Amino acid sequence: MENKQKPLSKNQKIILEYIQKNKKPVKAYSILSNVQKKGINAPPQVYRALDKLIEIGKIHKVESQNSFVACKTSDCETPHATAFSICDSCDEVSEINDPKLFKYLLDFKDNSGIKFDGYNLEFFGTCKSCETS
Amino acid sequence: MENKQKPLSKNQKIILEYIQKNKKPVKAYSILSNVQKKGINAPPQVYRALDKLIEIGKIHKVESQNSFVACKTSDCETPHATAFSICDSCDEVSEINDPKLFKYLLDFKDNSGIKFDGYNLEFFGTCKSCETS
DNA sequence: GAGTATAGCGTTATATTATAACATAATTAT
DNA sequence: ATAATTATGTTATAATATAACGCTATACTC
């Protein structure tokens, strides 16, 4: 079982570090303005790094928010099978890492019989701290 | 069991009809350009109707595509619990209406114990017709 | 190690998606 | 009938994302 991890490029590293520093998902232009001091000047530089980081599973995109969050699963083996819970009132997002759910969904077949190679699932609700306030 | 369906407004009707005519999901600005002959001139008119139609469950948003599709389930009772399958190569989208999946997901609790009131699930794969070509 | 293929960089410009804000009109509820 | 709510039409602009181009660094292969 070899682990051929290509090293990240300079921009990829800068942007991944910034995303990892944040608990909450961050937006592309917010990333941009926060890494400008590191020499990243324009949107394409950010989006290119984001695309790559998503591809290799280091981050995920929260589609309903157009935001990006670091993968919490140490070694995200199936980068394109993601599940999140999202609080309707505070927008807090957490990644769900539930092997049963994971398996259930990857085994799921629709009625046309095709098997899927990935999914994105976003649950909505009210988080504990918002509920009590 | 009463069915209090408020009638749709003029713009809502125009836009819903346009979306229903299309098998595939449509984009907001494509809707706009196709309903301009009916007197809808500007983006806010479209987005306002879209928001309302989503709220009442007549249409759904395909988040990963920023596109909008009519609900196929005759009377979509839980408008905010949606599942789609999306073909990676032709972008064909179909709504999945599987009661077991539906129940499984609405019953799902994450490890913080909160129950969710909605979800959006998008499966990715290659559809039958793309696979054979 | 020279040559070539691939991936990444920096930049400008522009496309695409979505909302703010404001004045008015229509509809619904009391 | 009046008040409250919902929808409309409009202008302007915000927020998100990509095209295209020339160049540089890295990896691949013989």
Side-chain angles (χ1 to χ4, degrees), chain B residues 11-12 15 42-54:
Chain B
N11 289 359
Q12 289 159 11
I15 285 167
Q45 297 175 290
V46 174
Y47 281 102
R48 286 192 292 230
L50 290 174
D51 285 347
K52 194 66 190 187
L53 293 168
I54 289 170

Side-chain angles (χ1 to χ4, degrees), chain A residues 9-45:
Chain A
S9 76
K10 176 176 140 271
N11 289 359
Q12 288 159 12
K13 242 179 276 177
I14 292 170
I15 285 168
L16 177 57
E17 273 164 24
Y18 178 73
I19 295 173
Q20 286 174 333
K21 275 202 317 211
N22 287 271
K23 270 189 46 174
K24 287 197 177 191
V26 284
K27 303 264 190 170
Y29 277 72
S30 149
I31 296 170
L32 176 56
S33 65
N34 279 282
V35 296
Q36 278 184 326
K37 53 199 166 208
K38 303 225 171 178
I40 290 175
N41 309 303
Q45 297 176 291

Side-chain angles (χ1 to χ4, degrees), chain A residues 31-121:
Chain A
I31 296 170
L32 176 56
S33 65
N34 279 282
V35 296
Q36 278 184 326
K37 53 199 166 208
K38 303 225 171 178
I40 290 175
N41 309 303
Q45 297 176 291
V46 174
Y47 282 102
R48 284 192 293 230
L50 290 174
D51 286 346
K52 194 66 191 187
L53 293 168
I54 289 170
E55 193 190 318
I56 63 179
K58 293 290 185 186
I59 65 171
H60 305 299
K61 181 173 186 180
V62 182
E63 294 286 355
S64 65
Q65 296 190 339
N66 301 312
S67 63
F68 304 87
V69 67
C71 180
K72 303 299 188 307
T73 309
S74 58
D75 237 337
C76 208
E77 293 172 36
T78 42
H80 304 294
T82 53
F84 300 100
S85 71
I86 302 175
C87 175
D88 289 320
S89 58
C90 71
D91 284 343
E92 177 117 305
V93 173
S94 44
E95 189 171 352
I96 296 173
N97 186 19
D98 180 315
K100 272 184 68 180
L101 174 66
F102 182 86
K103 185 171 173 3
Y104 181 89
L105 291 174
L106 276 186
D107 286 346
F108 182 81
K109 285 178 189 147
D110 75 354
N111 51 19
S112 82
I114 78 167
K115 248 197 114 179
F116 301 108
D117 47 32
Y119 62 78
N120 180 62
L121 172 57

Side-chain angles (χ1 to χ4, degrees), chain A residues 85 94 96, chain B residues 108-116:
Chain A
S85 71
S94 44
I96 296 173
Chain B
F108 182 82
K109 286 179 188 142
D110 75 353
N111 51 18
S112 81
I114 76 166
K115 249 196 113 180
F116 301 109

Side-chain angles (χ1 to χ4, degrees), chain B residues 103-123:
Chain B
K103 185 172 171 7
Y104 181 88
L105 292 174
L106 277 186
D107 287 346
F108 182 82
K109 286 179 188 142
D110 75 353
N111 51 18
S112 81
I114 76 166
K115 249 196 113 180
F116 301 109
D117 47 32
Y119 61 79
N120 179 62
L121 170 57
E122 300 180 7
F123 282 107

